[in-house]
Amino acid sequence: MEPSIQFAEQASPSARNHASSHDAVGGVVRLRSRTQSQSHKRSIDLTKTGEYDDAEDEDAGLRNEADYKRSQSFSIGQIVALAYQSIGVIYGDIGTSPLYVFSSTFTEAPTHADLLGALSLVLWSITLMVTVKYVLIVLRADNDGEGGTFSTYSLLSRYANISNRDPREESLVRMQRHDTNDLGRSTKNIRSGIENSRFFRGLLKIIGVLSVSMVMADGVLTPAQSVLGAVQGLSVVKSDIDKSTIIGVTCAILILLFVVQPLGISKLTIIFSPIVMVWLLLNAGFGVYNLARYDYTILKAFNPHYAFEYLIRNKYHGWRSLGGILLAFTGVEALFADIGAFSRHAIQLSWLSYAYPCLLLAYSGQAAYISEHPDAYSNPFFKCAPQGWLIFSLVVAVAAAIVASQAMITATFQLLTQIMKLSYFPQIRVVHTSTTYHGQLYVPAVNWLLMVGTVLVAAIYNNTTSLGNAYGVCVMFVTFFDTCMVTLVAMLVWRIKPYFILLPALLFASLDGAYLSSALTKVPDGAWFTILLATLLASIFILWRFGKEKQWYAEASDRFPTTHFVRTRSDGQLQLTERFGDELVGSMQGFGIFFDKAGETTPIVFNQFIRKLVAAPTVIVFFHLRPLDQPFVEPEDRYSVSRLAIPNCYRLVVRHGYMDEVITPNLASLIFEKVRDHIVARALDREGEKGAAASASGVEGSERDNASSRNSTTSSRLEALERAYHHKVLYITGKEQMKISSGTNVLRRFFLHIFLFIRENTRTKIASLDIPMDKVIEVGFVKDI
């Protein structure tokens, strides 16, 4: 994810004033709040300060509990607001299913017994697959507020050793592996079996990646399917409407839908939520009307006996019809994936209190009408509409079907952000659209690619029948994968004994298997498209991860403290360590700022610089930007300075939220000020500690004896810092090239070539940092992978 950071134009190097306002401190301010109030620092007598040298690199302070991502907590009012928003985003897909479930289930007018059985299947499918499985169980398997199968895989990787980690992200991941002694014997065996099996670790990775890919494949298909279906509904009013007109209107609506995405979820739901709420209420109202007027005895379908009887009686055809029944809960995968934008409690509230009862009434009412008008199965919603409501219901249906696309679009943004965090895809720009709700995201590049894909799919397929054949298979694969992942979470994370989990897991796996096997019959008729697209996306994700792991392995030799590369001689001069030739390191006058990606060990660019040039600036600062999953970072938590073993070498960590922006007129000035303040503060702190200790022990003479050495140390550091800063400022960045090792086999070489091609064309360029280019040194180096 790209940090929302800007380095502005250079200003006077001698600027030393600090902003004292809560919103603007030391050059980092909240967006749209850039006014800085100036205040003078208190004067400090530097002759009374001092500190001792440290022998090793200090801890960078990156293992900070406050830096870890955690679920955002909401008030009751915010949960209600999010529940309202979720209706407009999440339930557009699952809520428009009454338009086509019965027409997709039956191929001819059904008998009353078959209608009763099919309705029973629909009602119990929604109850078991959505309410029980997802809303009550799966939503609890979120990873600090993030949802989707891949987030469940990420959650498992925090509790079991099943994946390699990006060394640069390790300090941002909270590992919570349960102690072996706290696990039951069976759970312990399951965990150790997975951790020790390369096959199972790889299988879990593939399941996680395939699930993301399949939801994204549906994200291309769903907008085309729902909007095209809505526009085709116009033929109810005007039967002679031209197909090219339908396709043209569909494409125009799709383009408009993606154009408004940058507005963000909160603004979109101002329009979307009322539409879906009216739509669901309309379905519920029609349902009550039809039940009261035609056949209320159809409510017997709530007895699951009729569902089993239907399947037993119809055998093969009953099993095939499950491919239509499952359309009643398509969109449930988005319900889990979108949890990051709305929260578990908000989704549970909106589903149980509104969407669920509305859908039960809708399907029951349609069945009540069809029981007396069997031919109405072919277009259930419109034919079941009460007299005089057709035009209004058509308008609302078209609007709801258009909005139905939003669930998958939002899910795609959420899931792609997750896989970028875990290095399965190159980092591209992610925009947070709300400061109140941290998980509401927009990904510009993906938005436009989705737009192109959906427009092409709508134009090529050009009818909902062929698109419908491609729909449903990916949904069932994802629900099955979710069952597998959540079963493991229940054992390894929630520590529920396996024999308590076995029966529920088998029940849901059996349901998933029954629907999936039926949906797979659609593969030759169009479902191959989504499977092919998902496989292609998964291949890209796994390929990128494969290349990144090779890159981490190649960089491992550089991830050490500074003392691994250079040491300080007794005369104060730097010297390379024995493993790097024992050469003396020359001194370059100036203030060297090395950009540091990891923030914990030595930046790769520094060790490459010092080993190859055998020279170092007189003052060195490792500069690390640390983006956090929150809108703002409070002023007192933004900056962290630590000392390293090399004399006059410091690390500055700048924590920032996604709505913070660095606008200091001169980046070097900010860094200089923070390092200078650190030196002075450390001297004052140590002076206070020594004074307190001396007073407590009554020994003040020894303290005075050491004062001159401490004063000299602090003064020399401040003097070196001032002199280097005013002499010359250098920004030193690295440009790492990768070369495939000789002897690599042909297949691996092919995959690595693709990885390197993608990497080279997606790397962040130095020009994106708004710093004076005449002060930039780019150090190139090559690593074998």
Side-chain angles (χ1 to χ4, degrees), residues 243-419:
K243 176 177 276 191
S244 60
T245 302
I246 290 175
I247 299 301
V249 172
T250 298
C251 292
I253 292 173
L254 284 170
I255 291 171
L256 178 63
L257 186 65
F258 286 100
V259 166
V260 299
Q261 290 302 314
L263 295 175
I265 291 173
S266 293
K267 291 181 180 177
L268 289 176
T269 53
I270 293 174
I271 299 174
F272 288 2
S273 291
I275 291 173
V276 179
M277 289 190 77
V278 170
W279 164 256
L280 290 172
L281 190 61
L282 197 67
N283 274 272
F286 287 2
V288 172
Y289 172 81
N290 288 319
L291 283 167
R293 182 170 180 180
Y294 296 107
D295 184 11
Y296 68 88
T297 63
I298 204 74
L299 292 176
K300 291 188 297 184
F302 278 95
N303 184 342
H305 163 77
Y306 294 102
F308 289 109
E309 186 182 60
Y310 170 82
L311 292 173
I312 294 169
R313 184 175 62 253
N314 289 283
K315 298 182 176 62
Y316 174 76
H317 293 292
W319 167 74
R320 284 292 299 264
S321 69
L322 291 177
I325 300 292
L326 69 85
L327 296 177
F329 58 85
T330 52
V332 70
E333 75 282 17
L335 184 144
F336 184 32
D338 286 338
I339 189 177
F342 301 105
S343 84
R344 170 165 57 91
H345 292 112
I347 293 175
Q348 289 174 332
L349 176 62
S350 61
W351 172 258
L352 294 173
S353 66
Y354 195 79
Y356 179 47
C358 285
L359 288 173
L360 293 182
L361 286 171
Y363 288 113
S364 299
Q366 287 185 6
Y369 184 88
I370 296 171
S371 69
E372 293 197 9
H373 306 84
D375 290 334
Y377 83 93
S378 60
N379 198 347
F381 175 77
F382 293 109
K383 291 187 177 180
C384 297
Q387 190 173 4
W389 285 81
L390 179 60
I391 300 300
F392 178 73
S393 62
L394 174 64
V395 172
V396 176
V398 170
I402 293 170
V403 172
S405 310
Q406 188 61 45
M408 300 309 301
I409 295 171
T410 303
T412 301
F413 294 159
Q414 293 284 330
L415 294 174
L416 192 70
T417 304
Q418 291 175 21
I419 65 172

Side-chain angles (χ1 to χ4, degrees), residues 606-637:
F606 174 76
N607 71 63
Q608 293 289 335
F609 184 95
I610 202 168
R611 285 162 51 190
K612 290 186 168 75
L613 300 182
V614 198
T618 49
V619 174
I620 300 163
V621 179
F622 299 158
F623 180 72
H624 174 62
L625 290 170
R626 186 171 177 80
L628 303 181
D629 283 312
Q630 58 194 63
F632 308 108
V633 174
E634 295 304 319
E636 61 272 16
D637 299 325

Side-chain angles (χ1 to χ4, degrees), residues 275-575:
I275 291 173
V276 179
M277 289 190 77
V278 170
W279 164 256
L280 290 172
L281 190 61
L282 197 67
N283 274 272
F286 287 2
V288 172
Y289 172 81
N290 288 319
L291 283 167
R293 182 170 180 180
Y294 296 107
D295 184 11
Y296 68 88
T297 63
I298 204 74
L299 292 176
K300 291 188 297 184
F302 278 95
N303 184 342
H305 163 77
Y306 294 102
F308 289 109
E309 186 182 60
Y310 170 82
L311 292 173
I312 294 169
R313 184 175 62 253
N314 289 283
K315 298 182 176 62
Y316 174 76
H317 293 292
W319 167 74
R320 284 292 299 264
S321 69
L322 291 177
I325 300 292
L326 69 85
L327 296 177
F329 58 85
T330 52
V332 70
E333 75 282 17
L335 184 144
F336 184 32
D338 286 338
I339 189 177
F342 301 105
S343 84
R344 170 165 57 91
H345 292 112
I347 293 175
Q348 289 174 332
L349 176 62
S350 61
W351 172 258
L352 294 173
S353 66
Y354 195 79
Y356 179 47
C358 285
L359 288 173
L360 293 182
L361 286 171
Y363 288 113
S364 299
Q366 287 185 6
Y369 184 88
I370 296 171
S371 69
E372 293 197 9
H373 306 84
D375 290 334
Y377 83 93
S378 60
N379 198 347
F381 175 77
F382 293 109
K383 291 187 177 180
C384 297
Q387 190 173 4
W389 285 81
L390 179 60
I391 300 300
F392 178 73
S393 62
L394 174 64
V395 172
V396 176
V398 170
I402 293 170
V403 172
S405 310
Q406 188 61 45
M408 300 309 301
I409 295 171
T410 303
T412 301
F413 294 159
Q414 293 284 330
L415 294 174
L416 192 70
T417 304
Q418 291 175 21
I419 65 172
M420 282 194 293
K421 286 180 182 176
L422 289 183
S423 303
Y424 282 83
F425 195 73
Q427 297 295 312
I428 58 178
R429 182 167 173 252
V430 173
V431 178
H432 290 257
T433 59
S434 173
T435 58
T436 305
Y437 309 116
H438 301 174
Q440 297 188 355
L441 311 167
Y442 162 67
V443 186
V446 174
N447 184 62
W448 307 125
L449 286 174
L450 271 179
M451 183 186 76
V452 172
T454 54
V455 168
L456 288 175
V457 166
I460 293 170
Y461 275 80
N462 71 52
N463 67 81
T464 53
T465 302
S466 52
L467 275 171
N469 289 331
Y471 200 61
V473 175
C474 285
V475 176
M476 292 318 306
F477 268 117
V478 173
T479 61
F480 176 67
F481 292 155
D482 282 339
T483 299
C484 299
M485 287 293 196
V486 175
T487 300
L488 288 176
V489 167
M491 291 186 287
L492 304 184
V493 179
W494 301 338
R495 291 185 289 182
I496 300 175
K497 296 186 182 301
Y499 48 79
F500 288 141
I501 300 169
L502 182 61
L503 284 178
L506 284 177
L507 169 64
F508 290 118
S510 299
L511 288 172
D512 293 331
Y515 288 117
L516 177 59
S517 61
S518 178
L520 286 174
T521 61
K522 294 182 179 181
V523 170
D525 298 324
W528 59 268
F529 172 76
T530 47
I531 293 177
L532 179 64
L533 181 58
T535 303
L536 179 62
L537 289 171
S539 300
I540 294 172
F541 298 151
I542 291 175
L543 173 64
W544 182 258
R545 174 71 181 199
F546 167 74
K548 292 300 289 185
E549 289 187 0
K550 295 300 177 186
Q551 178 182 335
W552 301 337
Y553 182 78
E555 293 171 348
S557 60
D558 294 319
R559 288 195 292 270
F560 291 97
T562 56
T563 51
H564 179 83
F565 306 100
V566 65
R567 63 173 179 265
T568 307
R569 302 198 325 170
S570 56
D571 60 1
Q573 188 169 1
L574 296 181
Q575 182 178 17

Side-chain angles (χ1 to χ4, degrees), residues 716-750:
S716 64
R717 284 186 177 136
L718 289 170
E719 182 182 348
L721 182 67
E722 292 267 2
R723 186 170 59 248
Y725 175 71
H726 290 292
H727 180 78
K728 189 174 186 63
V729 172
L730 294 174
Y731 299 97
I732 303 157
T733 67
K735 186 172 183 179
E736 183 182 44
Q737 299 293 329
M738 295 287 172
K739 183 171 73 73
I740 300 174
S741 303
S742 58
T744 304
N745 66 57
V746 175
L747 185 62
R748 178 167 294 197
R749 182 178 292 272
F750 172 74

Side-chain angles (χ1 to χ4, degrees), residues 10-129:
Q10 184 176 0
S12 171
S14 61
R16 301 271 179 83
N17 292 334
H18 290 262
S20 61
S21 70
H22 178 75
D23 288 337
V25 176
V28 176
V29 304
R30 299 184 177 185
L31 290 183
R32 299 178 295 279
S33 177
R34 299 187 178 184
T35 303
Q36 293 179 312
S37 59
Q38 305 295 330
S39 61
H40 294 286
K41 295 199 297 272
R42 60 189 175 93
S43 61
I44 299 174
D45 186 355
L46 297 178
T47 63
K48 295 182 180 179
T49 62
E51 58 183 293
Y52 296 113
D53 288 324
D54 294 325
E56 300 292 337
D57 292 351
E58 290 181 358
D59 180 16
L62 296 184
R63 305 286 172 171
N64 189 337
E65 184 69 22
D67 289 354
Y68 293 135
K69 178 176 171 57
R70 54 177 52 83
S71 299
Q72 188 182 0
S73 58
F74 300 104
S75 65
I76 294 176
Q78 288 177 318
I79 290 174
V80 172
L82 283 171
Y84 169 74
Q85 290 186 8
S86 69
I87 292 173
V89 172
I90 294 178
Y91 305 123
D93 190 2
I94 199 170
T96 51
S97 295
L99 285 168
Y100 45 74
V101 167
F102 285 121
S103 61
S104 300
T105 302
F106 300 116
T107 56
E108 59 183 16
T111 64
H112 189 273
D114 284 350
L115 179 65
L116 191 62
L119 175 62
S120 185
L121 280 170
V122 169
L123 298 178
W124 280 100
S125 295
I126 295 174
T127 300
L128 291 175
M129 297 296 289

